[in-house]
Amino acid sequence: LEIFVTIENVNDNVPVFQEANITQVVPEDTKVNTTIIARESLSATDGDMDVIYYELTTVVPDTEGYFAIRGINNPELYLQKALNYEKFNWTKLLLYGRDRPAGSNDTNTATATINIYIEQADTRPPWFLPCTFINTDNSVCISSPYTGRVTIFEMSTEPLTLQPGPVYAVDPDYTLNEKIVYSIVGGDTDNVFSVDADTGNLTMNKAVTSADSILLQVMATQVNNVQKYSVATVEILVINKSNYTPYFESKIYNGMVSAGLDPGSFVYQADHPSSPLMITAVDDDFPDV
């Protein structure tokens, strides 16, 4: 008598990932659709030889949609949306491996944790400070022109004082903080000014001989990449030398007001009640003003 025994496979094995915890560093400028972790590194095995069904979820809020797997049976992890280091620099993913389709009974599940750290890339040119952000993700910052003044026919030996502050630029990719150098690229037709390549301080080579304002263009460039640069405008006002001190036309001014007047009401001259009181100063450097 021959007896044939068929052994039915019982689903008694749990899928197993090669690594339960994976850490991956991803450069910020990685191109969309690039593979982040290969299928071979993320595939789970099952002792029952079952087909594994995968599902990826994102744990960290506001970081969803950036990473995905190729398919329900292909756990290869790829970049689905462009990264921005300013938005987030870390996220955690959970990869589930099941030996039955999702929702089935008698399902065994394995879980792998994937930590993704974003590495800031050199993506932005220098910013001149101070500057104002013009978008919500703080990726673009616009600076106002610098202004300064010099006296005609006089050469200052000190760095020029500018508003709203000295010429200064930073690398907005702050974890990289690449070195920045400065140069004058326009507006200085007579070679009157110099800029310190390292500090950005503006100094004079000689005196200005024209009363016209001067509009300089100062460029800040990253030493490691000359294609990363910004240009700021520096307006230099030329003023006449002041030989005289301003003075008031009268040493004493007498005014008169009535009780109960509203704020902002005129004060009138004490000896001419119909004429508003005016306090005036003059400067003999400007006799016609």
Side-chain angles (χ1 to χ4, degrees), residues 159 166-169 179-182 194-203:
V167 173
Y168 179 62
K179 180 177 173 57
I180 292 172
V181 293
Y182 304 90
S194 293
V195 63
D196 188 288
D198 295 320
T199 67
N201 285 335
L202 278 173
T203 54

Side-chain angles (χ1 to χ4, degrees), residues 54-58 67-69 77-78 93-96 112 114:
Y54 298 95
E55 179 187 359
L56 185 72
T57 63
T58 304
F67 299 94
I69 55 176
L77 186 70
Y78 73 99
L93 311 173
L94 295 179
L95 179 64
Y96 299 98
I114 305 172

Side-chain angles (χ1 to χ4, degrees), residues 4-289:
F4 294 93
V5 178
T6 300
I7 301 174
E8 293 184 351
N9 189 16
V10 177
N11 187 21
D12 56 354
N13 288 286
V14 177
V16 177
F17 283 106
Q18 295 182 42
E19 293 184 57
N21 289 281
I22 300 173
T23 298
Q24 186 72 22
V25 177
V26 181
E28 178 188 12
D29 57 353
T30 299
K31 295 185 181 300
V32 171
N33 206 40
T34 298
T35 296
I36 304 303
I37 303 177
R39 176 177 184 172
E40 294 75 17
S41 299
L42 290 178
S43 296
T45 57
D46 184 79
D48 300 313
M49 306 299 291
D50 291 322
V51 174
I52 305 299
Y53 298 85
Y54 298 95
E55 179 187 359
L56 185 72
T57 63
T58 304
V59 176
V60 181
D62 300 324
T63 63
E64 300 90 349
Y66 287 89
F67 299 94
I69 55 176
R70 297 291 183 184
I72 193 171
N73 300 122
N74 182 357
E76 179 180 284
L77 186 70
Y78 73 99
L79 183 64
Q80 186 172 244
K81 188 167 64 172
L83 298 169
N84 185 338
Y85 187 86
E86 298 299 325
K87 288 186 176 181
F88 71 96
N89 53 38
W90 167 80
T91 188
K92 179 186 288 187
L93 311 173
L94 295 179
L95 179 64
Y96 299 98
R98 301 184 177 93
D99 54 12
R100 296 287 186 274
S104 301
N105 296 324
D106 190 26
T107 301
N108 295 313
T109 303
T111 305
T113 301
I114 305 172
N115 288 290
I116 302 289
Y117 291 91
I118 311 304
E119 182 180 63
Q120 190 168 37
D122 190 6
T123 59
R124 292 177 290 186
W127 288 346
F128 282 96
L129 300 182
C131 65
T132 303
F133 292 110
I134 63 171
N135 53 357
T136 56
D137 62 359
N138 295 344
S139 60
V140 178
C141 201
I142 302 299
S143 62
S144 300
Y146 297 94
T147 59
R149 54 178 60 189
V150 297
T151 303
I152 194 169
F153 303 125
E154 289 187 359
M155 188 186 84
S156 173
T157 58
E158 299 294 326
L160 301 185
T161 300
L162 304 177
Q163 297 295 332
V167 173
Y168 179 62
V170 296
D171 180 5
D173 301 312
Y174 55 88
T175 63
L176 304 178
N177 195 27
E178 298 292 349
K179 180 177 173 57
I180 292 172
V181 293
Y182 304 90
S183 59
I184 297 175
V185 294
D188 191 19
T189 55
D190 293 330
N191 194 30
V192 173
F193 301 96
S194 293
V195 63
D196 188 288
D198 295 320
T199 67
N201 285 335
L202 278 173
T203 54
M204 300 183 71
N205 301 320
K206 56 186 178 181
V208 176
T209 58
S210 171
D212 296 332
S213 297
I214 301 169
L215 210 59
L216 302 176
Q217 284 80 48
V218 177
M219 184 166 67
T221 309
Q222 287 185 195
V223 172
N224 70 323
N225 186 350
V226 295
Q227 294 182 342
K228 293 287 191 304
Y229 68 89
S230 294
V231 177
T233 299
V234 182
E235 183 179 15
I236 305 296
L237 304 176
V238 181
I239 61 175
N240 289 319
K241 183 176 181 180
S242 179
N243 295 311
Y244 301 97
T245 301
Y247 59 91
F248 289 104
E249 290 185 305
S250 176
K251 293 184 178 181
I252 298 176
Y253 291 85
N254 295 310
M256 178 184 68
V257 295
S258 301
L261 290 177
D262 294 330
S265 299
F266 280 119
V267 176
Y268 291 92
Q269 297 180 31
D271 52 350
H272 293 88
S274 61
S275 301
L277 178 65
M278 299 182 64
I279 300 174
T280 57
V282 294
D283 187 339
D284 289 338
D285 287 310
F286 305 95
D288 299 326
V289 178

